Amino acid sequence: MTATITPESRDAGAARSGDEHGMAGGPRPGRTRRRPTFGGLASSTFLWIYAAISIAPLLLMLSNSLRTTQDMAKQPLGLPLPPNFTSYQKAWVTASFDTYFFNSIFVTVASVLLSTAVSLLAAYAFARTRSKWFTALEGLFLSGLMLPVYLAILPLFFLLDSLGMVSNLWSLILVYGALGIPFSTFVLASFFRQLPMELDEAARLDGAGPFQTFWRVHLPLVRPAIATVIVFRFVPVWNDFFYPLILIRDQSSYTLPVGITRFFGEYQTDWATLFAGLTLATIPLVVLFLLATKQIVSGLTAGMSK
Amino acid sequence: MSAITVPKVRRRRVTTGVTLSRRAGMVFVLPALLLFAVFIAYPLLTALSYSFFDWTGILRGDFTGLENYVKLFTTLPYSEDIPNAFLHNILLFIGAMVFQNTVGLGLATLLHRRARFKRFFQTMYTLPYLVSPLVIGYLWSLMLSPLFGPVNAVLRAIGLGELAQPWLGNPQTAIWVVVIVTAWQWIGFPVLLYGAALGGIPEEIDEAASLDGATSWQRFRSITLPMLVPAIGTVSVLTFIGAMEAFPIPYALGGSQGNPAGATDVLSLLFYRTAFESGSSNAIGTSSAIATLLFLFIFGISMLITALMRRAERKLF
């Protein structure tokens, strides 16, 4: 398995407008359509309809979080006019979303930094050594992309239990840190491989040691890849439900997803608060996405090739 | 959930060489290796061994060979629960595949041909994919609620009131809700991936074929489709793994019991219930057997899909 991610392909998902490939002299004949044709109209309609299907439930979640439960019972399809923010206060304070939220932030940030740091070092070694041991090790890491590793939860639970770490947020950080290695190593190694060897030789002639070369020469050059890895690992870690469900027994250490399951049992009839809680859990991701669409798109379209 | 094919545009000259001594390399790899070995490799290998022992609580008893596996298929409730849950995983896979390779590919093709609002549409389609599946599951459970759920309200509003029903209370409809919600959430992924693959097809080929008088269907069949095979393969493998690992959406829609009446049960839920909620003294042995079977199945079929796609690629070119 060799990776082929090129700096160009980071934008593979980015817009390719029809006249981007034309001559400098203007749009290519036959590519740009001035008059809307029937086909163009049909395709636009389909794109818009599916965009509505895709986003409507999320908008409904937001809109209902700003309404009262009585209002929802009376008019299931009403609008949040005027918006009412009391449910947010209730979810945040009474339903301890503040605790869950900060636990989630702490775990996600720490574990993503951990997996990115160790993967950077490992990826650099994979890109700059040549021996069957390193190749085998890289293959081992990559296998983590394909294997259902969550099935190892029982021994993991016993291991953490014997270390006295059940319900400790650091147990999640270490586990997520390890789970991030396959993807992060994979993306970063393919980037390091594209940096010319002359860089290393020049640095060595200047008297830099291996770590200095890595730190001062390579690290600044793979910044875009680091951004992709950080952003892209943030999403699954933030959303993960399975590991905290099993490894966190103590309510004060719940992360958002586990907090939500508990909260749904408690507030069954308090719809407004439920919607507010779901929205709170989603806001950081939407913000992240709007700030880093490019990294997310390239993360989604980065990957394995034959 | 994050291994995808980048369509090859050009083979870049990848620098290979050695600038790092083996000793320095080991030092660099060590932190990642430690983390990976302790929290992934060791538990995974141990987990497979658990299934060959008899357990009493958390104490490991005698080596019993394949007995735990035999029990899965011969004793209730497992002999009924496993096929039932497995069928639902397969439905999830088929449902998602059909949806992604028709609607998803369609959307990607339409987006590929247009310049306006492209990024906007990509964002719209990708947002549900980024939201926690647990949140998505709970959100739909509220939307489909029989009393005040907006879905039934919409049906009544457009005069289809007789279709309104307790979607998640009815065993006939509940599993389809899980399938549709899962497929709906995942759609952004094939849209982006197929979009990237389509972007990697040199337009000159298409134009040359069209000058040679190839119809648009012929162009799709002989140019676009073969170029898309790697992406289709990636989508298939990842959709398969995702469908077999499905857990949060069924959990949110049907609880850990797979309500109503096991209609939304899937293998991961069954594994979770057996390990943590069954109260059986051999919970660890039994659930590890389920996990091992699931593991082997996912691994085997993923390899098979990959191999099939490679063959398809050779044939089509």
Side-chain angles (χ1 to χ4, degrees):
Chain A
M1 267 194 297
T2 55
T4 47
I5 298 184
T6 63
E8 288 92 304
S9 73
R10 289 190 321 108
D11 295 334
R16 263 169 64 105
S17 58
D19 49 19
E20 190 185 304
H21 320 284
M23 314 298 160
R28 192 185 286 197
R31 291 289 302 172
T32 45
R33 293 190 178 143
R34 291 285 154 94
R35 280 174 302 120
T37 57
F38 173 71
L41 205 66
S43 88
S44 285
T45 312
F46 181 56
L47 288 171
W48 281 106
I49 286 177
Y50 198 85
I53 293 173
S54 198
I55 206 77
L58 299 176
L59 290 176
L60 197 96
M61 171 172 90
L62 179 66
S63 140
N64 281 351
S65 69
L66 299 169
R67 298 169 66 200
T68 62
T69 307
Q70 291 92 324
D71 185 26
M72 273 183 254
K74 275 203 283 278
Q75 302 170 295
L77 300 172
L79 289 171
L81 299 167
N84 173 328
F85 290 91
T86 46
S87 327
Y88 279 93
Q89 200 187 351
K90 201 165 169 187
W92 187 255
V93 182
T94 325
S96 4
F97 262 63
D98 51 353
T99 311
Y100 307 151
F101 198 88
F102 289 118
N103 288 342
S104 269
I105 292 268
F106 173 59
V107 167
T108 308
V109 170
S111 67
V112 170
L113 289 178
L114 175 66
S115 64
T116 308
V118 299
S119 303
L120 271 168
L121 290 165
Y124 181 69
F126 291 146
R128 288 295 184 259
T129 51
R130 238 186 180 168
S131 85
K132 58 177 192 289
W133 290 108
F134 283 98
T135 314
L137 213 50
E138 194 175 7
L140 175 74
F141 282 3
L142 284 182
S143 68
L145 289 172
M146 301 279 285
L147 298 175
V149 285
Y150 76 101
L151 292 172
I153 190 75
L154 284 169
L156 199 56
F157 179 80
F158 292 151
L159 173 75
L160 291 162
D161 196 24
S162 65
L163 296 170
M165 283 180 68
V166 167
S167 285
N168 182 337
L169 290 176
W170 282 99
S171 66
L172 284 181
I173 291 168
L174 289 169
V175 170
Y176 289 143
L179 289 170
I181 290 173
F183 176 76
S184 312
T185 311
F186 171 65
V187 172
L188 295 167
S190 60
F191 262 79
F192 280 126
R193 285 199 169 96
Q194 283 154 20
L195 299 175
M197 288 289 166
E198 289 77 18
L199 283 174
D200 302 56
E201 279 143 27
R204 198 167 24 179
L205 289 175
D206 289 342
F211 188 77
Q212 240 184 332
T213 309
F214 162 80
W215 186 255
R216 309 219 354 219
V217 178
H218 290 87
L219 216 51
L221 293 171
V222 291
R223 256 189 223 145
I226 297 176
T228 295
V229 165
I230 287 181
V231 168
F232 203 71
R233 280 299 303 162
F234 190 97
V235 179
V237 173
W238 179 268
N239 287 338
D240 182 71
F241 164 60
F242 189 75
Y243 289 96
L245 176 70
I246 289 160
L247 300 178
I248 304 290
R249 301 271 157 210
D250 189 352
Q251 206 200 324
S252 64
S253 303
Y254 278 178
T255 54
L256 271 168
V258 193
I260 287 175
T261 55
R262 187 193 161 88
F263 160 79
F264 254 71
E266 276 179 28
Y267 287 75
Q268 263 169 347
T269 52
D270 190 350
W271 276 39
T273 312
L274 293 181
F275 277 116
L278 293 178
T279 312
L280 279 173
T282 307
I283 286 171
L285 281 179
V286 175
V287 171
L288 179 85
F289 187 57
L290 297 176
L291 290 176
T293 314
K294 205 165 161 183
Q295 276 80 15
I296 293 209
V297 170
S298 62
L300 270 173
T301 48
M304 287 190 214
S305 72
K306 300 149 299 212
Chain B
M1 63 155 281
S2 49
I4 301 104
T5 314
V6 170
K8 274 189 216 154
V9 184
R10 274 192 316 275
R11 282 220 60 95
R12 287 175 54 101
R13 198 174 57 85
V14 173
T15 46
T16 48
V18 187
T19 56
L20 210 58
S21 68
R22 186 176 292 198
R23 187 181 304 172
M26 272 326 287
V27 173
F28 274 78
V29 168
L30 200 62
L33 182 61
L34 271 176
L35 209 54
F36 190 88
V38 175
F39 295 101
I40 295 179
Y42 159 78
L44 209 52
L45 294 171
T46 319
L48 304 182
S49 76
Y50 278 10
S51 59
F52 300 109
F53 290 87
D54 187 41
W55 291 74
T56 40
I58 54 165
L59 295 171
R60 198 166 73 172
D62 299 332
F63 179 83
T64 52
L66 294 176
E67 199 177 310
N68 286 327
Y69 294 90
V70 174
K71 270 191 207 152
L72 283 184
F73 293 99
T74 53
T75 56
L76 287 170
Y78 307 111
S79 58
E80 272 183 8
D81 284 356
I82 286 184
N84 176 48
F86 181 65
L87 172 74
H88 297 156
N89 284 104
I90 296 292
L91 283 180
L92 274 177
F93 174 59
I94 294 173
M97 280 303 282
V98 168
F99 195 65
Q100 292 180 342
N101 290 313
T102 52
V103 178
L105 186 55
L107 291 169
T109 311
L110 292 178
L111 274 186
H112 176 61
R113 291 197 189 143
R114 64 182 291 143
R116 284 179 66 206
F117 304 132
K118 185 166 174 172
R119 186 43 78 75
F120 165 81
F121 283 121
Q122 282 179 334
T123 305
M124 292 297 113
Y125 303 151
T126 315
L127 272 178
Y129 184 73
L130 299 178
V131 177
S132 164
L134 192 80
V135 168
I136 295 288
Y138 280 129
L139 173 61
W140 280 95
S141 77
L142 292 175
M143 300 210 334
L144 293 163
S145 147
L147 282 175
F148 317 121
V151 171
N152 284 346
V154 168
L155 288 173
R156 288 190 193 104
I158 57 175
L160 295 170
E162 66 272 17
L163 287 179
Q165 57 172 304
W167 301 96
L168 288 164
N170 176 349
Q172 255 79 50
T173 50
I175 183 60
W176 294 109
V177 171
V178 176
V179 171
I180 290 166
V181 169
T182 305
W184 169 84
Q185 184 182 13
W186 288 351
I187 197 80
F189 168 63
V191 168
L192 287 178
L193 196 68
Y194 290 149
L198 290 167
I201 301 175
E203 275 180 40
E204 292 72 19
I205 306 184
D206 222 37
E207 277 169 24
S210 131
L211 288 173
D212 289 343
T215 61
S216 59
W217 164 247
Q218 282 172 321
R219 294 209 304 271
F220 178 78
R221 165 71 190 74
S222 320
I223 298 166
T224 314
L225 199 58
M227 290 285 214
L228 281 178
V229 166
I232 293 174
T234 304
V235 168
S236 311
V237 169
L238 292 174
T239 303
F240 175 75
I241 295 174
M244 287 297 141
E245 290 184 350
F247 184 79
I249 288 183
Y251 185 98
L253 291 170
S256 66
Q257 302 295 325
N259 293 327
T264 58
D265 204 11
V266 287
L267 289 169
S268 296
L269 276 178
L270 182 59
F271 163 74
Y272 171 77
R273 272 207 315 278
T274 309
F276 298 97
E277 291 182 354
S278 68
S280 123
S281 69
N282 190 24
I284 292 175
T286 316
S287 60
S288 296
I290 296 174
T292 308
L293 286 177
L294 185 53
F295 182 93
L296 293 173
F297 186 70
I298 292 177
F299 187 66
I301 301 286
S302 307
M303 292 288 135
L304 184 73
I305 296 176
T306 314
L308 283 175
M309 284 295 157
R310 280 196 195 152
R311 272 186 47 194
E313 215 175 334
R314 279 203 297 274
K315 266 211 189 101
L316 281 164
F317 269 115

